[in-house]
């Protein structure tokens, strides 16, 4: 998508700014189209690049699960809204 965006802008090179998952996207773009990037800026640290994504998710899953539990305890009214969003996205992805 980023390469199509660069081409649509009719630019030889683009500069990118990425945070968290956006940083991983920039790394992929750098790997695939290194000559299309002028600058690649990362606003936070990245997990070790040599680590398989399954290992990263496995290490963070329980933490995210606990944060979700605390969030819904504090904002229980959001549970129904999130379920609506999930249902909507599920219908659109079929």
């Amino acid at each position: 998508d980023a390469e199509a965006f660069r081409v649509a802008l009719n630019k030889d090179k683009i500069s990118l700014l990425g945070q968290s998952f956006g940083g991983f996207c920039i790394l992929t773009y750098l790997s695939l189209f290194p000559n299309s990037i002028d600058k690649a800026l990362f606003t936070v640290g990245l997990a070790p690049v040599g680590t398989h994504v399954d290992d990263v998710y496995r290490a963070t899953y329980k933490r995210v699960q606990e944060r979700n539990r605390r969030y819904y305890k504090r904002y229980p009214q959001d549970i129904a809204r999130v379920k609506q969003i999930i249902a909507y996205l599920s219908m659109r992805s079929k």
Side-chain angles (χ1 to χ4, degrees):
D1 292 346
E3 182 64 4
F5 181 70
R6 182 195 65 77
V7 171
L9 290 173
N10 199 28
K11 297 287 184 180
D12 292 331
K13 293 181 180 257
I14 57 174
S15 295
L16 302 169
L17 172 66
Q19 176 177 332
S20 189
F21 181 72
F24 283 109
C25 293
I26 290 175
L27 286 176
T28 300
Y29 190 57
L30 277 166
S31 298
L32 297 173
F33 302 98
N35 296 324
S36 296
I37 299 173
D38 181 42
K39 294 179 185 93
L41 307 164
F42 301 88
T43 62
V44 296
L46 292 170
V49 177
T51 303
H52 192 277
V53 68
D54 289 344
D55 295 330
V56 173
Y57 285 127
R58 198 174 296 110
T60 59
Y61 182 80
K62 287 188 184 246
R63 186 174 179 188
V64 170
Q65 191 175 33
E66 174 57 22
R67 286 187 177 196
N68 284 342
R69 186 195 64 74
R70 288 192 326 228
Y71 178 89
Y72 290 128
K73 183 177 180 183
R74 185 171 179 182
Y75 305 104
Q77 70 277 9
D78 289 354
I79 294 171
R81 184 62 159 159
V82 168
K83 287 181 179 180
Q84 288 176 332
I85 293 168
I86 291 169
Y88 174 80
L89 293 173
S90 294
M91 287 177 20
R92 306 263 312 169
S93 67
K94 293 180 181 179

